[in-house]
Amino acid sequence: MRLIVPVLLVANLIALAWWQGWLDPWAGAQRQPERFARQIEPQVLRIVPIMPGGAFALPGDTGDTGLPVPSDSQR
């Protein structure tokens, strides 16, 4: 038991250092911030809401699924 706690503490410190990027010079990991600069037309990305029943809303869809919609007082 005396050995487990220090080993786990060291493992957590190593994981923290890796997560924060402190080990990148030695680990050879490369962050890629240039990917954001290379995005092609990111402004055209749009979030598609999920309709009741798990269906996706399509462009031009009015959202009428034929299901009853609860009023604000029933929510």
Side-chain angles (χ1 to χ4, degrees), residues 30-43 45:
Q30 297 177 359
R31 309 250 179 218
Q32 299 176 352
E34 66 275 1
R35 285 185 179 231
F36 287 113
R38 291 188 294 150
Q39 288 183 4
I40 300 172
E41 298 182 23
Q43 68 276 9
L45 180 70

Side-chain angles (χ1 to χ4, degrees), residues 3 11 14 17 43-44 62 69 73:
L3 182 62
I14 292 172
Q43 68 276 9
V44 299
T62 60
V69 178
S73 62

Side-chain angles (χ1 to χ4, degrees), residues 1-2 6 10-12 16 21 26 28 30 33 39-40 44 47-50 52 57 61 63 66-67 70 74:
M1 186 70 172
R2 289 182 185 180
V10 169
N12 279 315
L16 174 67
W26 299 283
Q30 297 177 359
Q39 288 183 4
I40 300 172
V44 299
I47 306 299
V48 179
I50 298 177
D61 192 1
L67 299 173
Q74 293 176 344

